[in-house]
Amino acid sequence: MFSGVCGGRAGGGGRATSTPSAEDFLLPGTELVCAGFTLYGPATMLVLTTGSGVDGFTLDREIGAFVLTHPRMRIPEDTSGFAINAANERFWERPVRRYVHECLDGVDGPRERDFNMRWVASLVADTFHILTRGGVYLYPRDTRPPTRPGRVALLYGANPIAFIVEQAGGAATTGSERVLEVAPGEVHQRVPLIFGSRNEVERIERYHREPDEGPSFDSSLFGTRSLFRPAQR
């Protein structure tokens, strides 16, 4: 499956006749007027928003045109599914580890229900899944290296996806702020990206505001268990 994502912004404030510069693109995502992505596979799809909801179109090869097949797409506020690359756990910050561990604890943990975990490693494929079935996607800030805390391109990745997600009733955050309000400093700036069902995104934001809360995540041999029996009283 191949994919692409794009976004469009409002006019450049009277500079349309001048030579574009990097500063013309360094605007927050709140300036977007449209965004969309495409999915290429057994079917070719276009998901698009112009600021008044999200619609999905499927290419009808016989007539050579896109047909509206997914009108007014909406992300449910609650979900029992999340998408994250679990192989990077050792690099996650404490709030993300807390959230994921609570989900993995299922009915026996503080969430008191089971969750499903998936990871396609394709941003738009995971976005389409969330748009049609709900869920939350996490590509969080990590410790590799500190000078590059995020992995998703803000201007041409995170912002268009965030705009689509919000138009479908979801939410998108870096963990500490709304994605669409991030002020870009450079064209290829990278940011953490967490988006999907609103209630789960808001929970993850709350965990980032209280980073010292939750259980310990000491992974050493004697951190949470011991080879020795506890002393008898």
Side-chain angles (χ1 to χ4, degrees), residues 1-2 37 54 109 116 155 158 167 169 178 180-181 184 188 217 219 228:
M1 177 181 290
F2 299 93
F37 63 80
V54 180
N116 295 316
L155 294 182
Q167 285 296 313
R178 180 187 176 204
L180 294 181
E181 294 180 348
H188 302 294
F217 297 108
S219 60
F228 303 99

Side-chain angles (χ1 to χ4, degrees), residues 134-215:
V136 61
Y137 173 100
L138 300 96
Y139 209 148
R141 178 188 180 98
D142 62 36
T143 59
R144 308 168 298 155
T147 56
R148 189 187 178 192
R151 302 283 168 173
V152 181
L154 172 62
L155 294 182
Y156 45 88
N159 273 341
I161 292 296
F163 188 36
I164 293 169
V165 166
E166 288 195 4
Q167 285 296 313
T173 181
T174 64
S176 59
E177 62 181 317
R178 180 187 176 204
V179 170
L180 294 181
E181 294 180 348
V182 175
E186 58 176 311
V187 171
H188 302 294
Q189 179 175 336
R190 306 272 171 166
V191 295
L193 178 59
I194 299 168
F195 68 85
S197 295
R198 179 170 296 277
N199 289 341
E200 293 301 302
V201 173
E202 290 178 351
R203 174 183 288 269
I204 296 169
E205 285 183 315
R206 174 163 58 85
Y207 286 3
H208 278 81
R209 293 194 298 269
E210 47 187 39
D212 296 326
E213 298 294 326

Side-chain angles (χ1 to χ4, degrees), residues 99-136:
Y99 175 79
V100 172
H101 277 253
E102 288 183 352
C103 293
L104 295 177
D105 285 342
V107 294
D108 299 319
R111 303 300 304 274
E112 298 182 339
R113 71 177 191 269
D114 289 327
F115 283 75
N116 295 316
M117 182 173 67
R118 66 193 304 274
W119 179 252
V120 178
S122 168
L123 177 58
V124 297
D126 279 313
T127 303
F128 184 76
H129 180 90
I130 289 172
L131 284 168
T132 54
R133 301 186 183 182
V136 61

